[in-house]
Amino acid sequence: MSEAASTRTPLGLLPSLAPLLRQWLPGQRWFAGKGYAVTGFSLVSATELLPLNGPGPGLLHLLVRVGQRDASSPSSDDCYQLLIGVRETLPPALAPTLIGHLTEGPLDGRTVYEGTHDPRLAALLLERLRTPGSLGPLRFDRFDGAPAIPAGLAARPLDAEQSNSSLVYGDAYILKIFRRLHPGPNPDLELPLALARAGCARVPVPVAWYESTAPEPFTLGVLQPFLPGSRDGWVLALEALAGDRPFLGEAHELGRVTAEVHTALADTLPTVKLGGPQTEGLAAAMVRRLDAAAQAVPALVPYAPRLRAAFDALAVLGARGRTWAAQRVHGDLHLGQILRGPGNAPWSVIDFEGEPARPLTERCRPQPAVRDVAGMLRSFDYAARTHRPWNPAWAERCRDAYCDGYAEAGGDDPRQEPELLRAYETDKAVYEVVYEARHRPDWVPVPMAAIERLAALH
């Protein structure tokens, strides 16, 4: 690995950047603290991937803790990964990536900007991943047996990301860059690695990745094969609805794919049994989320007692000695997380990060596999609701076909555990109502239709 970069931290760097970051960060899609006052910054690590005072653009890798608070919450902070480009002047093509112009500190007179949108800097990241090694607190690694990564692949940012950033290299690879970081291995690297080593072909193999080793371990980015021309299950489902075509064959196959991934995860990673106390704790957490959701979205209040009955029924079974197997799961499975390439290529499951808003410890905890099933069942409802007129029968047929495929490939029909399935589907619908109320109010009727249906199952 080249030694042109440096791990030294110029004195006064973060204080000089702080006023610019305070303005710029809240406008980034991946910044989780929107609506909360930024109270300060603390530097976790700084690495010059390209010299900041060289003849060309410099690239500064930062891990920064951002302190925040609002009137009703105690102060808290999150760690973010920043890739800061540094130039004397910014070319017009990079103008939209501007962070600001520094007027003090070690980079006085320089311009700083979002480095991932600079093709030269993005190419450097791929070059680092091509050659495993360490640079200060950063470690670059590759999957054993993966083919060599070609040099010189053109880079472009992918605009579809939300909680992370992605770079596509020559239609051959995609690099997901994690922005909001949690200590420990990220499941979007851990689980695909485990599945690759188990020989599961349903998940793109991680080709390379990079991590921070000090002062805390963070997974920073994962490079995987890019699937050009592929479309996700959500797009395909909407096309079927628009053309008044059934989606039963695809739903059945998606059930088989889900079961195959679950089986491989259970065979590769530890599994546990949820006994009475664990099941009661699981149900109690669902009740707490429901109570908080009802406070945030008053439309839930009339349904809350009957929704709570689903969680109470699960707790009662646990108290009576019922146990359930728990294992590592996808954690955020829906139609948009499964891709199919051109020509009816096999389905591929992506994005094992789980719900980024949840703590990493929770996302990495073994859970009943039916949690993923419930997420996919809710996704069929979402797709059907986009159709005019609403087509609930389409969703119901897809839900049954999906469960049939799951049972055929996995041996456990999720419909044979109605209390567990209902509890997880209710919990997911409650989460969806809160999400839509905050971000897409016009979509609130979609999960509310599920709330009405689930509340009627008491």
Side-chain angles (χ1 to χ4, degrees):
M1 180 168 289
S2 169
E3 293 301 322
S6 169
T7 59
R8 68 184 184 275
T9 303
L11 188 65
L13 174 65
L14 187 59
S16 65
L17 284 172
L20 301 180
L21 295 179
R22 194 183 299 271
Q23 296 296 318
W24 177 74
L25 276 173
Q28 306 312 300
R29 284 182 295 177
W30 41 261
F31 185 64
K34 293 180 176 64
Y36 297 87
V38 174
T39 58
F41 302 93
S42 60
L43 186 65
V44 177
S45 71
T47 307
E48 290 184 26
L49 293 176
L50 273 179
L52 303 185
N53 293 306
L59 180 58
L60 178 64
H61 183 280
L62 293 179
L63 299 184
V64 176
R65 289 201 176 277
V66 182
Q68 293 188 269
R69 70 163 179 264
D70 70 359
S72 61
S73 302
S75 60
S76 62
D77 58 42
D78 284 311
C79 185
Y80 288 90
Q81 176 181 192
L82 307 181
L83 289 150
I84 307 295
V86 180
R87 288 178 180 256
E88 291 286 352
T89 58
L90 206 57
L94 292 175
T97 70
L98 176 69
I99 296 175
H101 307 282
L102 288 165
T103 58
E104 60 180 352
L107 299 178
D108 183 16
R110 310 295 294 275
T111 298
V112 290
Y113 61 101
E114 169 56 64
T116 60
H117 286 254
D118 186 331
R120 293 177 63 181
L121 302 184
L124 172 73
L125 286 176
L126 184 66
E127 190 60 29
R128 292 288 180 190
L129 291 164
R130 291 183 66 242
T131 311
S134 296
L135 179 65
L138 305 183
R139 184 177 67 227
F140 297 81
D141 210 343
R142 290 185 55 201
F143 182 67
D144 292 340
I149 302 170
L153 296 177
R156 72 175 191 275
L158 192 66
D159 293 330
E161 70 272 16
Q162 293 294 328
S163 59
N164 301 296
S165 300
S166 295
L167 293 170
V168 175
Y169 293 95
D171 283 343
Y173 300 99
I174 181 168
L175 173 63
K176 178 185 284 189
I177 299 170
F178 301 111
R179 292 298 195 162
R180 185 187 185 197
L181 304 175
H182 303 272
N186 191 299
D188 208 11
L189 172 62
E190 180 192 11
L191 297 189
L193 274 179
L195 290 165
R197 289 163 179 156
C200 179
R202 294 296 192 176
V203 177
V205 177
V207 176
W209 57 92
Y210 69 111
E211 303 169 295
S212 172
T213 57
E216 294 180 281
F218 294 111
T219 304
L220 301 177
V222 181
L223 185 75
Q224 291 179 293
F226 184 62
L227 306 175
S230 63
R231 295 187 296 170
D232 62 47
W234 175 258
V235 170
L236 295 173
L238 295 190
E239 286 183 355
L241 277 160
D244 196 25
R245 300 192 308 272
F247 196 66
L248 301 183
E250 293 89 338
H252 186 275
E253 183 62 19
L254 289 175
R256 294 188 61 86
V257 170
T258 306
E260 289 175 20
V261 170
H262 282 166
T263 299
L265 288 172
D267 289 344
T268 306
L269 298 172
T271 61
V272 298
K273 284 286 185 183
L274 298 184
Q278 293 83 9
T279 302
E280 292 177 71
L282 178 67
M286 292 177 173
V287 170
R288 289 193 297 271
R289 287 193 287 270
L290 172 61
D291 291 342
Q295 287 186 343
V297 185
L300 282 170
V301 172
Y303 302 97
R306 285 174 289 165
L307 298 175
R308 191 175 293 111
F311 308 142
D312 292 342
L314 186 62
V316 167
L317 290 176
R320 292 175 178 171
R322 184 69 173 273
T323 63
W324 281 279
Q327 62 167 86
R328 297 298 298 276
V329 298
H330 183 282
D332 189 24
L333 192 65
H334 54 75
L335 285 165
Q337 305 284 39
I338 305 188
L339 303 180
R340 167 167 273 176
N344 289 327
W347 293 98
S348 294
V349 185
I350 60 171
D351 290 342
F352 281 78
E353 190 180 3
E355 294 175 2
R358 296 188 186 272
L360 184 63
T361 52
E362 180 181 333
R363 288 184 270 149
C364 293
R365 187 180 303 144
Q367 301 174 68
V370 76
R371 175 178 177 174
D372 283 347
V373 172
M376 187 61 75
L377 297 185
R378 292 292 313 118
S379 197
F380 288 122
D381 272 1
Y382 257 73
R385 188 74 184 193
T386 66
H387 189 263
R388 296 292 182 271
W390 181 31
N391 195 341
W394 181 94
E396 194 59 36
R397 290 192 295 269
C398 287
R399 289 159 60 92
D400 282 337
Y402 176 82
C403 290
D404 288 342
Y406 190 94
E408 288 180 15
D412 294 325
D413 189 333
R415 293 165 296 191
Q416 298 303 310
E417 302 281 1
E419 296 88 359
L420 189 64
L421 181 58
R422 179 190 171 200
Y424 268 106
E425 195 175 351
T426 301
D427 188 49
K428 183 68 172 179
V430 168
Y431 166 85
E432 292 165 351
V433 170
V434 176
Y435 179 88
E436 303 299 5
R438 289 176 176 170
H439 301 285
R440 301 185 300 184
D442 290 346
W443 284 69
V444 169
V446 179
M448 283 303 300
I451 292 293
E452 295 176 12
R453 174 176 59 82
L454 292 161
L457 297 177
H458 67 286

